[in-house]
Amino acid sequence: MKHQFLLLCVLVIFFSVAMVEIGSDPVQDDTQPITTIMQRLMMDMQTIEVGIWNENYETIWSGAHNIVNHPKIPADQRSEIAGILGKQKMKAFAALDMQVHNQADSLARDAKAQNMNEILKHYSIIQQGCVSCHSNFRTQIIEGR
């Protein structure tokens, strides 16, 4: 069990570093396909969780910082998603995205302050926002594409 946890930590760190390297290309624009963004956000959430379990505030900050600064969905994909979801659902989609962004920003600040109770509160809200977005919109977007 201990070896599995260590392996998970090493893999999360490896993929986090790899994604930072990919994102550091100065020629790359600030957009990525939604599936790539979601995969990166999943890894960032895993980074935060590893940081929480190890009480490593720098790791927690790193994951939260990456969520706050994730690439944007390209304009053509945003238009496609808006067409699939419609105006009302797109507003709800954007509101959940903003909620996750704001909570990740607060989580990053709390990681700098080493305030674990607040970190846990924000992490839970982020997780709920992600799952809520998936349960409300993912199937419709996938089927609409």
Side-chain angles (χ1 to χ4, degrees):
M1 181 74 163
K2 186 176 181 182
H3 295 291
Q4 289 172 333
F5 180 73
L6 182 60
L7 178 61
L8 174 64
C9 292
V10 169
L11 288 173
V12 167
I13 292 168
F14 171 78
F15 285 114
S16 295
V17 170
M19 295 313 292
V20 168
E21 288 299 316
I22 290 169
S24 65
D25 183 357
V27 180
Q28 185 177 3
D29 67 10
D30 191 27
T31 65
Q32 289 187 351
I34 190 168
T35 53
T36 302
I37 293 169
M38 293 300 135
Q39 290 167 347
R40 289 179 67 166
L41 291 173
M42 178 185 67
M43 288 189 298
D44 294 330
M45 289 295 285
Q46 291 170 340
T47 298
I48 293 168
E49 188 167 342
V50 168
I52 289 170
W53 283 111
N54 291 300
E55 294 185 58
N56 183 320
Y57 294 100
E58 185 61 32
T59 299
I60 295 167
W61 178 87
S62 176
H65 175 77
N66 288 343
I67 292 171
V68 170
N69 296 293
H70 73 76
K72 294 171 181 48
I73 301 170
D76 60 330
Q77 268 196 334
R78 281 194 313 268
S79 295
E80 178 185 19
I81 292 167
I84 292 167
L85 293 180
K87 192 173 188 174
Q88 289 300 87
K89 285 188 177 182
M90 191 62 190
K91 282 183 182 180
F93 180 90
L96 282 170
D97 180 57
M98 186 57 68
Q99 175 190 28
V100 167
H101 179 275
N102 291 342
Q103 292 296 319
D105 191 43
S106 295
L107 195 153
R109 281 194 312 272
D110 289 326
K112 287 289 186 187
Q114 299 188 1
N115 186 339
M116 186 59 78
N117 288 330
E118 289 297 308
I119 288 168
L120 293 172
K121 181 180 87 174
H122 295 299
Y123 180 76
S124 176
I125 295 169
I126 294 168
Q127 192 175 49
Q128 288 171 4
C130 292
V131 172
S132 179
C133 192
H134 286 189
S135 66
N136 286 306
F137 309 118
R138 186 164 104 181
T139 301
Q140 185 177 353
I141 292 171
I142 290 170
E143 289 175 358
R145 298 181 92 196

